[in-house]
Structure formats: C-alpha cells, structure tokens
Amino acid sequence: MKKTLVVLLLIVNFGFAQQPKRKLVWEENFNGTKLNESVWNFELGNGCPNCGWGNNERQIYTKTNHQIKNGNLIITAQKKDSIYTSTRITTAGKKEFLYGRIEARAKLAVGQGIWPAFWMLGSNIKTVGWPKCGEIDIMEYVGRNPSSIYTTLHTEASHGNSVNTKITNIPEIEKGYHVYAIDWSKDKIEFLVDNILVYTFQPEVKDENTWPFNQPFYILINLAVGGNFGGHEVNDSIFPQEYSIDYVKVYQ
C-alpha cells in the first residue's frame, strides 16, 4: 500500500514523461584507461580573461583531476596549499547535437561549496557569445542546498539569475547514481530525473532572444568549487570530493 501511494504521489507531483521512440546515436561509457580526446576537450586554468569562468569560481581546472575507473569518469575536486583544483571537459567541435534525448547517469559530489554540473552550450558561442548562444543546464547541484536539483535555461532574454528554472526537491538524491536527461524538440525542452518529468520549457514566442535552441549544442561536464552560484562559503573539510559519471547517451 505504501509503495502504491508513493508511485501515485510521484505521478501527481511530477508526471512520468512519455518518451517517443528514438535511436541511440552516440554513447560514451568511459571504458578503457584514459579519456578519449578524439571526443572530449579539456578546458584548463581559471577561466581568464573571464576569470572564475564568469561565476567567480575558485577552482583551477587541470588534466589530472580525473580518472577513468571501472567504466566511470571520476572527477575529483581537491584543495592543496590553498588552491582548489578540478576538471572540466566538453565535446565542442567533436560531438554536437540538435534535438533528441541527452542523458547522463551520475553520482554527485556533495558538501558546502561543491557544484557538479551536466550541461550544454550552443555551438556558435565563439561567434555570438554567451548568452545569445543559449545554455541548457540539464543538471546542477549545489552542496549548500542539499536534496535539490536545478534545471535551467539561459537565453538572451533570460540569463544569469534566469527565470527559466526549476528547483526540484528529491530526498536522498545524493545517494547512488541517478539519470539526468532532457528530451529536446523544435517545440520544447523537457527535463527529467530518473525518467520523471520535473520541468518543461516551451515559450510561446520563439525568436533568437527566447529560443536559441534550434542549432547544434555541445556537452559539458564539470565539478566547480564556490562561486556566485555554488556559494562563496566553502567547507574545506569535505575535500577531496568525487563526481562520478557512468555514461552519457544521446538518442534521436
């Protein structure tokens, strides 16, 4: 009886997304012993000239704060000699996608000041800049607000402290692996956690300011420390922290 009630409450509160039939067009299972650099790019340093990666983040990104182990990408945020380090990777120029279901199965890093993310940017960012290129934050988690997953869109019409966002409370989301996904079409973008619909973005007016999502986007995975969104107070006792990604898959 209790299990039945829980399922019914989930349906009422979130609704299970009805997924169209799609074909798996690309997958990254993180097999082998090192990251496949024919698919992934490392973004390095402190983000200068836009230092702090535009968010006053504290970490320096390196090629050494990650490992491929047991079919997982494990990004480790560390602090040593007052310096925070981590890893940030992208598929820019190598794997870019227009529409479909994009998902990752991941286990979160946790703690005050930690900020793991799985997200996408428009492939034209170098020509039109941000936010005009568009940004799809499939999953963001900030350790200062436990049991919460952020799903957000940034556009020319709404960026920074975007109104196109949803914070979903999911008790014990920090435990184990969960699947974070979008179902993206020419009409709307649906956000899902463990195949449960948590947010839909479907503006009535679609133009270059509200809907830059009619072009290819690339994937980013990173683990940030601190910053405007991650929180300026960092609990140094939590380090090292691991953000583990089992796979990334794209269906169209």
Side-chain angles (χ1 to χ4, degrees):
M1 179 64 74
K2 288 184 179 179
K3 289 183 179 180
T4 302
L5 180 58
V6 169
V7 171
L8 288 173
L9 287 172
L10 285 172
I11 293 172
V12 170
N13 290 333
F14 300 108
F16 285 92
Q18 299 299 314
Q19 297 300 320
K21 290 184 178 180
R22 299 189 186 276
K23 179 182 179 181
L24 180 65
V25 297
W26 178 69
E27 62 182 321
E28 171 63 271
N29 292 298
F30 301 110
N31 295 322
T33 58
K34 63 180 182 179
L35 197 68
N36 182 0
E37 292 189 56
S38 69
V39 172
W40 297 99
N41 311 292
F42 288 97
E43 293 194 325
L44 303 175
N46 61 4
C48 285
N50 190 20
C51 297
W53 302 93
N55 299 294
N56 293 310
E57 299 163 30
R58 297 194 187 186
Q59 80 290 328
I60 294 173
Y61 286 126
T62 79
K63 284 189 173 184
T64 57
N65 282 73
H66 77 286
Q67 60 179 318
I68 304 296
K69 183 178 180 181
N70 298 326
N72 281 255
L73 166 66
I74 303 173
I75 296 176
T76 303
Q78 297 178 329
K79 184 183 182 185
K80 184 178 180 181
D81 298 328
S82 301
I83 298 173
Y84 301 95
T85 56
S86 187
T87 290
R88 168 168 162 153
I89 58 173
T90 89
T91 63
K94 297 175 178 178
K95 292 290 181 181
E96 299 178 348
F97 305 97
L98 173 61
Y99 307 140
R101 178 183 171 101
I102 296 96
E103 68 177 33
R105 183 173 183 265
K107 185 174 187 286
L108 301 172
V110 299
Q112 178 82 28
I114 213 75
W115 176 12
F118 170 53
W119 52 302
M120 304 181 78
L121 284 170
S123 60
N124 63 349
I125 187 170
K126 289 185 178 181
T127 57
V128 304
W130 185 94
K132 199 171 186 65
C133 66
E135 177 177 326
I136 307 171
D137 296 325
I138 302 172
M139 181 281 293
E140 292 181 287
Y141 172 88
V142 290
R144 61 188 168 83
N145 190 17
S147 301
S148 298
I149 294 297
Y150 294 75
T151 48
T152 306
L153 283 301
H154 296 279
T155 68
E156 185 73 15
S158 174
H159 58 273
N161 189 18
S162 178
V163 297
N164 303 317
T165 190
K166 174 70 181 298
I167 305 172
T168 303
N169 181 262
I170 305 175
E172 299 187 337
I173 191 66
E174 295 85 358
K175 293 185 178 180
Y177 286 80
H178 299 272
V179 178
Y180 305 95
I182 56 168
D183 189 4
W184 170 25
S185 70
K186 64 181 180 62
D187 298 313
K188 62 184 177 180
I189 303 175
E190 295 180 330
F191 292 79
L192 308 99
V193 179
D194 292 332
N195 209 38
I196 297 173
L197 179 65
V198 297
Y199 179 55
T200 300
F201 180 66
Q202 190 174 14
E204 292 184 6
V205 176
K206 291 184 173 66
D207 56 31
E208 63 179 5
N209 294 318
T210 63
W211 189 259
F213 309 110
N214 55 357
Q215 58 157 331
F217 274 57
Y218 62 87
I219 294 168
L220 300 93
I221 299 173
N222 70 289
L223 177 56
V225 177
N228 301 336
F229 188 62
H232 295 292
E233 293 185 11
V234 179
N235 179 2
D236 290 340
S237 70
I238 68 173
F239 295 99
Q241 274 295 315
E242 293 184 348
Y243 175 32
S244 299
I245 300 89
D246 179 21
Y247 64 72
V248 179
K249 294 183 180 181
V250 178
Y251 299 84
Q252 291 180 332

